[in-house]
């Protein structure tokens, strides 16, 4: 089973990934969690290039670097883990590319579909949790957690986060559109709910999904 988490930066995905992992392990499942980009030495190097560098990277280059990292992770880690029967939980997957490089950067959705198809080897998530939050609320959350004054050009922001508020509005809108077109796969959750309520909804959905699979 492949479970993915999506949403703009600061939506609280990593907390929910960690809680779901613990919950599923307590139920006796083998669980692997990974974040994208990252997860192998090569992918971590690509991550560094994409996020830490302040280079101006062209949108197609950016797309191909995220895709290269994904292809490496899918082939070397995700597919083998799924074959061994593990549940794989990903903090971001191909919907991030559609939302960020497609809706955010303005690359054509046709191109994205092609590149996503190559990078995932056709692998699709069984269920995706989209933690929805406005860019304004996400920024407020991020800066208040670090007790820093809110500033959209802060040194604290990585290369992607420095793309500005308008960019993040387009990315969020992109996620909302993906959800509209695939409401069965993508579960939309209000990221402002408490972490405990979010966790209960998420784990409930996963259990529902796997019970349906067992009965099918
Ligand atoms: P990360 O620190 O993992 O952000 P977050 O904690 O919000 O998940 O950084 C990943 C960044 O890369 C984030 O800004 C989203 C962006 N991204 C893309 O633009 N396209 C992609 O395909 C992926 C996987 C991530």
């Amino acid at each position: 089973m492949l479970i993915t988490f999506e949403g703009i930066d600061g939506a609280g995905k990593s907390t929910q990934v960690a809680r779901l992992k613990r919950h599923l392990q307590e139920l006796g499942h083998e669980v692997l969690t990974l974040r994208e980009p990252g997860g192998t030495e090569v992918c971590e190097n690509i991550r560094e290039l994409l996020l830490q560098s302040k280079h101006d990277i062209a949108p197609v280059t950016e797309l191909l670097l995220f895709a290269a990292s994904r292809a490496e992770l899918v082939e070397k880690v995700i597919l083998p883990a799924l074959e061994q029967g593990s549940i794989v939980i990903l903090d971001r997957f191909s919907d991030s590319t559609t939302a960020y490089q497609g809706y955010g950067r303005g690359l054509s959705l046709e191109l994205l579909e092609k590149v996503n198809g190559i990078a995932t080897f056709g692998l699709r998530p069984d269920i995706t949790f989209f933690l929805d939050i406005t860019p304004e609320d996400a920024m407020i959350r991020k800066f208040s957690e670090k007790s820093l004054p809110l500033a959209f050009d802060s040194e604290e922001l990585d290369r992607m986060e420095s793309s500005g508020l308008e960019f993040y509005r387009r990315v969020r809108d992109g996620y909302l559109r993906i959800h509209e077109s695939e409401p069965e796969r993508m579960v939309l959750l209000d990221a402002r709910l408490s972490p405990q309520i979010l966790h209960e909804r998420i784990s409930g959905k996963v259990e529902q999904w796997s019970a349906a699979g067992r009965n099918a």
Side-chain angles (χ1 to χ4, degrees), residues 11-178:
K13 293 180 278 81
S14 42
T15 309
Q16 293 303 326
V17 167
R19 292 189 71 160
L20 181 62
K21 178 183 191 177
R22 213 176 322 128
H23 176 78
L24 292 172
Q25 282 175 330
E26 280 164 9
L27 293 177
H29 296 285
E30 202 57 53
V31 185
L32 178 67
T33 55
L34 297 158
R35 67 163 183 192
E36 273 214 7
T40 72
E41 212 180 326
V42 168
C43 300
E44 291 296 335
N45 277 307
I46 299 175
R47 178 185 180 87
E48 179 91 8
L49 187 59
L50 278 163
L51 301 185
Q52 298 317 321
S53 73
K54 294 285 171 188
H55 299 304
D56 182 19
I57 301 179
V60 175
T61 316
E62 184 179 280
L63 167 69
L64 294 173
L65 284 170
F66 279 115
S69 170
R70 178 163 310 129
E72 183 73 7
L73 194 66
V74 169
E75 181 162 2
K76 298 257 176 70
V77 185
I78 300 175
L79 288 175
L82 290 173
E83 266 161 36
Q84 283 174 11
S86 295
I87 296 180
V88 178
I89 307 176
L90 297 179
D91 189 337
R92 301 193 176 284
F93 196 50
S94 37
D95 294 320
S96 283
T97 312
T98 308
Y100 281 76
Q101 280 65 53
Y103 289 92
R105 298 284 190 230
L107 292 176
S108 89
L109 296 182
E110 256 174 23
L111 172 66
L112 287 167
E113 233 169 78
K114 265 189 225 156
V115 173
N116 270 338
I118 295 169
T120 59
F121 298 81
L123 180 68
R124 297 188 50 79
D126 294 300
I127 188 158
T128 298
F129 295 103
F130 163 35
L131 301 188
D132 183 39
I133 191 168
T134 64
E136 289 86 347
D137 283 347
M139 278 293 182
I140 292 168
R141 185 184 273 192
K142 184 179 168 83
F143 281 85
S144 66
E145 271 167 10
K146 296 187 175 178
S147 307
L148 289 164
L150 181 64
F152 292 99
D153 57 355
S154 163
E155 286 285 305
E156 280 294 310
L157 302 177
D158 67 32
R159 196 186 63 83
M160 292 302 296
E161 290 165 340
S162 308
S163 303
L165 209 53
E166 272 312 311
F167 173 77
Y168 276 97
R169 289 198 181 116
R170 292 195 297 275
V171 173
R172 180 188 179 215
D173 187 50
Y175 276 125
L176 290 168
R177 287 187 195 210
I178 302 170

